[in-house]
Amino acid sequence: AQKVTQAQTEISVVEKEDVTLDCVYETRDTTYYLFWYKQPPSGELVFLIRRNSFDEQNEISGRYSWNFQKSTSSFNFTITASQVVDSAVYFCALSDDPSGNTGKLIFGQGTTLQVKP
Amino acid sequence: EAQVTQNPRYLITVTGKKLTVTCSQNMNHEYMSWYRQDPGLGLRQIYYSMNVEVTDKGDVPEGYKVSRKEKRNFPLILESPSPNQTSLYFCASSRIQGSGYTFGSGTRLTVV
């Protein structure tokens, strides 16, 4: 069964600390896609990154970086030098619909990140 | 600007009073979905559509209806809302499976 687990419910850090948000996924398919979304207090969902199962290269975008490891079924997200504006709920999601019909994203439960000044 | 537009943003209604939440996208996307977000449960798919006149149930379809008469619009209909449908609702669209979804701003629905 497909599943996404974000074991960290809440994380609190002080500004400028680095923080890693964990994401572990389960799927039987060899082709799948992984995503991270940010939900700030205003409520909208902001797309951060998409990674397909054949691309295990880590990615860096400014202060954000992602570590994809198929061997451990993990897709972790690190924020370097965190800022107060990073405070949000972060969702990891999996899309593995082999038929390509449902377009369904399977979300983890989310990790609430609080960055204190 | 490429976007998914949901209306209304906030809605308080009474049990049993039919309501429609509208969703429109301007990106000519084939895929559209509705999700509901509840504390501790993440987001769950309600209904999805692969194209015009093609819709199907997601994980939690009970109490909801949808239609896809035009490619850009995908309204969510609650024929007889109940308090357990109080939630935050998101519409999303995507060009192809796995390409990443664009989400609307959300509709916070309260049924009393």
Side-chain angles (χ1 to χ4, degrees), chain B residues 43-103:
Chain B
L43 288 90
R44 296 174 292 168
Q45 192 187 52
I46 303 171
Y47 266 94
Y48 64 92
S49 169
M50 295 192 310
N51 215 320
V52 175
E53 302 293 1
V54 182
T55 65
D56 208 345
K57 299 176 181 178
D59 295 322
V60 287
E62 294 76 22
Y64 304 95
K65 285 175 55 176
V66 293
S67 68
R68 187 96 182 269
K69 294 186 171 60
E70 306 165 283
K71 198 171 188 179
R72 62 184 294 126
N73 296 324
F74 191 44
L76 179 69
I77 302 157
L78 286 73
E79 295 270 4
S80 183
S82 62
N84 64 12
Q85 293 178 298
T86 292
S87 187
L88 178 60
Y89 291 87
F90 287 98
C91 180
S93 75
S94 173
R95 186 173 57 84
I96 58 173
Q97 185 259 343
S99 66
Y101 274 79
T102 301
F103 282 83

Side-chain angles (χ1 to χ4, degrees), chain A residues 33 35 37 39 42-45 47 50 91 95-98 100-105 107-109, chain B residues 9 31 33 35 37 40-43 45 48 50 59 88 90 97-105:
Chain A
Y33 302 86
F35 303 84
Y37 284 87
Q39 186 175 42
S42 52
E44 71 271 23
L45 283 164
F47 168 78
R50 163 184 175 259
F91 290 98
S95 173
D96 69 348
D97 173 30
N101 286 339
T102 70
K104 182 166 72 176
L105 284 174
F107 284 86
Q109 294 178 326
Chain B
R9 287 293 306 275
Y31 288 93
S33 285
Y35 290 82
Q37 181 182 1
L41 296 176
L43 288 90
Q45 192 187 52
Y48 64 92
M50 295 192 310
D59 295 322
L88 178 60
F90 287 98
Q97 185 259 343
S99 66
Y101 274 79
T102 301
F103 282 83
S105 299

Side-chain angles (χ1 to χ4, degrees), chain A:
Chain A
Q2 309 98 323
K3 187 178 178 182
V4 175
T5 302
Q6 295 178 253
Q8 306 149 307
T9 306
E10 293 183 21
I11 301 175
S12 182
V13 299
V14 177
E15 207 169 21
K16 297 184 183 175
E17 283 185 26
D18 298 347
V19 58
T20 295
L21 309 182
D22 297 332
C23 173
V24 174
Y25 62 92
E26 294 176 29
T27 177
R28 287 174 292 188
D29 296 308
T30 55
T31 301
Y32 52 89
Y33 302 86
L34 295 163
F35 303 84
W36 276 94
Y37 284 87
K38 174 182 180 180
Q39 186 175 42
S42 52
E44 71 271 23
L45 283 164
V46 179
F47 168 78
L48 295 178
I49 191 171
R50 163 184 175 259
R51 174 67 77 228
N52 74 53
S53 54
F54 298 106
D55 181 4
E56 287 194 72
Q57 276 193 329
N58 293 329
E59 180 154 338
I60 298 174
S61 177
R63 297 184 296 107
Y64 294 171
S65 62
W66 291 268
N67 185 322
F68 177 29
Q69 292 196 343
K70 287 178 75 172
S71 60
T72 57
S73 297
S74 65
F75 187 42
N76 297 336
F77 172 32
T78 297
I79 302 174
T80 303
S82 59
Q83 300 176 0
V84 173
V85 293
D86 295 327
S87 297
V89 181
Y90 291 86
F91 290 98
C92 180
L94 165 71
S95 173
D96 69 348
D97 173 30
S99 67
N101 286 339
T102 70
K104 182 166 72 176
L105 284 174
I106 300 159
F107 284 86
Q109 294 178 326
T111 297
T112 300
L113 174 64
Q114 183 182 37
V115 182
K116 299 178 182 176

